[in-house]
Amino acid sequence: MHQVTSEYAKNNFNEVIERAGTEPGGVLIVQEDKNLVLINQEELDALVETAYWLQEPDLLADIAQAQEEYKKGEVLTMEQVFS
């Protein structure tokens, strides 16, 4: 994650926006009393979706069960799933 001061961000706004769109994790804008992160929409959407799914109480158990079934060879072909 790229880090800049709020003064730098203000003076180089277009550069900071461009960097936020390409830098993994966005740009950290540091102020005296707080830090802000500027990220692109796609990354925000992914974070929101991840947070949503992590609230699903059975998610980890379902994933563990699917991994065990896969190890045992209990799988379906694409044709079986979509026919």
Side-chain angles (χ1 to χ4, degrees):
M1 177 182 295
H2 187 66
Q3 182 174 327
V4 297
T5 64
S6 59
E7 186 69 22
Y8 183 90
K10 184 173 102 176
N11 293 332
N12 301 281
F13 192 64
N14 288 337
E15 175 194 331
V16 172
I17 287 175
E18 181 66 31
R19 188 107 189 221
T22 59
E23 184 79 23
V27 175
L28 177 65
I29 302 171
V30 179
Q31 290 186 327
E32 288 181 24
D33 58 342
K34 62 186 165 206
N35 295 334
L36 304 160
V37 177
L38 182 62
I39 58 174
N40 67 40
Q41 182 71 48
E42 196 172 279
E43 192 162 352
L44 175 62
D45 292 344
L47 289 170
V48 169
E49 183 175 4
T50 298
Y52 169 81
W53 284 111
L54 288 175
Q55 294 176 20
E56 184 64 34
D58 299 326
L59 178 65
L60 294 178
D62 291 346
I63 291 171
Q65 179 182 350
Q67 288 172 328
E68 286 301 314
E69 290 171 357
Y70 178 78
K71 286 178 187 175
K72 293 177 186 176
E74 299 172 2
V75 296
L76 300 174
T77 66
M78 294 292 280
E79 188 174 294
Q80 290 171 312
V81 173
F82 294 107
S83 319

